């Protein structure tokens, strides 16, 4: 079977698994314990992982807070900022195409009386810097939270410009970078307005159940405190209590090191594979398909395609022995996609849409399967 659902999750890299195994066996120390070597080794392993992730993202190692994944990071940052600075009274600006872990968090806060502005997007799912600036001027928000790259259609938002605007207006800016880490190279130091980031290890060939919230240090009047979701023993600078999952953290660190080293070749390969697939689909299906994404300024390897008149669920079931694809986000697969709806697609068009998400570990010949599909 060809696995083309890498936006849902990725296959753990063998090197990642090898790095994790000792911490599931003999190296079982608690990194918060003291005085004996088992604990010291665990602490050292966590620090090394932190440094690898910080190198990948361009932040400092003490700005990384380990969480269970991007869902938790998004909840923690948005609820945490809203509570710390605004007692849930100050506006949050977001978009209509966020992942459900951002949207549902915002809806929860809205139910508590917090004003939320949901910015509309263009036909490819992007907001414009002007829209963000206008909304900031109108609402004096406490936080702007905008997805970096979309998990269903792959479009990239203008993060550099939004970060600049947020810095100018002294507004905290959070971006959900879960889908872009490793697929788009960036250095957080080049985005001074970007104060918070969310990511998950299992989207980048690491283990499930581990992710990070990057909480940048305060600087130049930009504050970055949050009220934690989990209170307890004070791990992770008091931001996220609970015994650290050392094996998962080590795996996350190894995955970060691998993708950092391979970033440019992986990105190039993804772009080539995507173009190859676009060509195959276009020549095989012609005007019977519609690409929901444009082909520029996007995450390489994510394609959203409408097969006109074909029910997507029936198609995916029929193809399931040969190829793993999805109808959109795995996290809200029972509901019609809010992302496709936000870019103006009708319910019928949404029910005919399939998401392809590639990995650099496949070959062009794997995609030849689609040459013969009728
Ligand atoms: N944000 C985005 C953009 C995602 O694609 C996902 C996973 N589909 C998440 C957040 C949530 O990640 P996790 O399920 O690992 O918590």
């Amino acid at each position: 079977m060809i696995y083309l659902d890498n936006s849902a999750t990725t296959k753990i890299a063998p090197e990642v698994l090898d790095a994790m195994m000792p911490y599931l066996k003999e190296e079982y120390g608690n990194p918060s314990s003291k005085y004996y070597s088992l604990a010291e080794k665990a602490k050292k392993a966590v620090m090394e992982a932190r440094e690898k992730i910080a190198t990948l993202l361009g932040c400092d190692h003490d700005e990384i807070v380990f969480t269970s994944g991007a869902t938790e990071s998004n909840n923690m940052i948005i609820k945490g900022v809203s509570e710390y600075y605004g007692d849930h009274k100050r506006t949050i600006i977001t978009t209509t195409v966020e992942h459900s872990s951002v949207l549902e968090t915002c809806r929860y806060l809205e139910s508590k009386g917090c004003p939320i502005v949901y910015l509309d997007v263009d036909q490819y799912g992007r907001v414009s810097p002007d829209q963000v600036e206008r909304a900031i001027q109108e609402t004096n928000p406490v936080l702007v939270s905008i997805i970096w790259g979309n998990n269903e259609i792959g479009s990239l938002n203008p993060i550099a410009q939004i970060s600049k605007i947020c810095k100018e207006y002294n507004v905290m800016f959070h971006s959900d970078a879960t889908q872009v880490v490793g697929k788009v190279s960036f250095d957080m130091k080049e985005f001074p307005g970007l104060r918070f980031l969310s990511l998950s290890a299992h989207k980048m060939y690491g283990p499930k159940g581990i992710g990070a919230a990057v909480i940048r240090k305060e600087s130049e009047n930009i504050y970055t405190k949050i009220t934690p979701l989990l209170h307890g023993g004070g791990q992770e600078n008091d931001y996220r209590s609970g015994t650290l999952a050392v094996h998962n953290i080590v795996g996350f660190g190894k995955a970060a090191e691998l993708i950092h080293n391979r970033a440019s070749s992986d990105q190039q390969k993804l772009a080539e594979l995507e173009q190859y697939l676009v060509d195959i689909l276009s020549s095989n299906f012609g005007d019977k398909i519609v690409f929901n994404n444009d082909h520029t300024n996007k995450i390489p390897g994510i394609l959203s395609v409408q097969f006109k008149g074909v029910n997507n669920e029936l198609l995916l079931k029929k193809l399931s022995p040969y190829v793993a694809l999805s109808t959109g986000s795995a996290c809200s697969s029972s509901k019609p996609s809010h992302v496709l709806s936000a870019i103006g697609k009708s319910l019928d068009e949404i029910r005919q849409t399939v998401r392809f998400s590639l990995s650099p570990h496949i070959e062009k010949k794997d995609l030849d399967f689609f040459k013969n599909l009728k």
Side-chain angles (χ1 to χ4, degrees):
M1 193 203 51
I2 315 157
Y3 183 74
L4 300 182
D5 199 14
N6 289 277
S7 290
T9 197
T10 55
K11 184 179 175 187
I12 195 164
E15 299 92 324
V16 168
L17 195 58
D18 289 348
M20 289 171 70
M21 284 316 278
Y23 297 90
L24 284 163
K25 289 178 169 172
E26 59 273 17
E27 302 295 351
Y28 52 84
N30 183 331
S32 300
S33 298
K34 290 195 179 87
Y35 311 124
Y36 53 89
S37 72
L38 211 54
E40 292 305 323
K41 279 197 210 160
K43 194 180 297 168
K44 184 164 174 277
V46 168
M47 180 50 91
E48 281 170 8
R50 229 184 260 291
E51 276 164 0
K52 287 172 186 165
I53 298 162
T55 303
L56 173 71
L57 302 175
C59 63
D60 292 341
H61 65 79
D62 54 353
E63 295 177 320
I64 288 167
V65 175
F66 288 114
T67 64
S68 61
T71 297
E72 185 185 327
S73 304
N74 287 338
N75 269 265
M76 172 177 161
I77 292 163
I78 297 169
K79 288 178 187 162
V81 166
S82 180
E83 183 164 341
Y84 191 91
Y85 291 99
D87 195 21
H88 296 327
K89 303 242 163 28
R90 290 191 53 200
T91 303
I92 294 172
I93 296 174
T94 188
T95 77
T96 51
V97 292
E98 299 298 311
H99 186 262
S100 51
S101 54
V102 167
L103 279 182
E104 292 305 320
T105 299
C106 288
R107 288 200 186 108
Y108 166 79
L109 290 173
E110 209 168 16
S111 76
K112 302 275 166 213
C114 178
I116 310 280
V117 174
Y118 300 93
L119 296 177
D120 286 332
V121 292
D122 68 14
Q123 61 167 324
Y124 295 122
R126 299 189 186 99
V127 285
S128 74
D130 286 351
Q131 271 175 292
V132 177
E133 182 161 15
R134 240 176 292 125
I136 290 177
Q137 288 165 344
E138 282 163 15
T139 62
N140 182 27
V142 68
L143 181 73
V144 170
S145 178
I146 292 181
I147 192 165
W148 197 313
N150 194 275
N151 47 311
E152 291 191 42
I153 47 179
S155 35
L156 292 169
N157 270 310
I159 296 301
Q161 287 136 292
I162 297 171
S163 151
K164 200 161 159 256
I165 291 167
C166 288
K167 182 154 193 307
E168 259 164 49
Y169 287 86
N170 259 343
V171 177
M172 285 173 277
F173 178 33
H174 162 241
S175 186
D176 177 353
T178 310
Q179 292 291 344
V180 297
V181 176
K183 292 179 227 140
V184 174
S185 295
F186 63 84
D187 182 339
M188 280 189 82
K189 285 192 278 303
E190 288 167 14
F191 303 105
L194 180 61
R195 309 312 295 166
F196 305 98
L197 203 76
S198 304
L199 62 153
S200 256
H202 72 102
K203 308 283 186 184
M204 43 185 263
Y205 313 99
K208 294 174 180 59
I210 187 82
V214 180
I215 303 181
R216 304 228 58 193
K217 286 181 213 121
E218 302 193 285
S219 71
E220 302 174 47
N221 302 331
I222 304 188
Y223 306 106
T224 49
K225 288 266 170 22
I226 62 166
T227 303
L229 282 183
L230 304 182
H231 299 87
Q235 286 91 342
E236 299 299 86
N237 289 330
D238 263 344
Y239 281 133
R240 207 269 190 178
S241 288
T243 302
L244 294 177
V246 180
H247 60 298
N248 267 343
I249 291 171
V250 168
F252 188 7
K254 188 69 195 177
E257 179 183 67
L258 292 175
I259 59 169
H260 184 61
N261 293 341
R262 299 200 296 235
S264 68
S265 58
D266 277 3
Q267 287 164 22
Q268 198 187 334
K269 178 139 184 223
L270 274 175
E272 279 167 23
L273 287 168
E274 177 179 324
Q275 189 56 52
Y276 190 71
L277 181 58
V278 167
D279 292 344
I280 288 177
L281 294 176
S282 304
S283 76
N284 192 7
F285 294 100
D287 60 4
K288 293 195 211 109
I289 58 167
V290 176
F291 290 101
N292 295 323
N293 48 271
D294 62 359
H295 296 290
T296 57
N297 197 15
K298 64 182 289 297
I299 304 174
I302 298 183
L303 282 180
S304 174
V305 186
Q306 182 204 346
F307 289 81
K308 288 186 199 166
V310 178
N311 178 284
N312 56 7
E313 290 189 0
L314 294 179
L315 177 65
L316 295 197
K317 276 184 201 149
K318 195 177 117 193
L319 295 180
S320 64
Y322 317 104
V323 57
L325 291 163
S326 78
T327 55
S329 167
C331 308
S332 48
S333 48
S334 55
K335 290 180 249 154
S337 158
H338 66 275
V339 173
L340 296 175
S341 162
I343 63 170
K345 299 289 167 185
S346 68
L347 206 52
D348 276 350
E349 288 167 330
I350 295 172
R351 290 198 178 122
Q352 298 167 5
T353 289
V354 171
R355 177 184 69 183
F356 297 76
S357 49
L358 312 180
S359 106
H361 306 298
I362 60 162
E363 299 305 329
K364 285 182 179 164
K365 65 175 167 35
D366 295 318
L367 300 174
D368 287 342
F369 171 81
F370 295 100
K371 280 184 180 166
N372 304 317
L373 193 63
K374 286 287 160 256

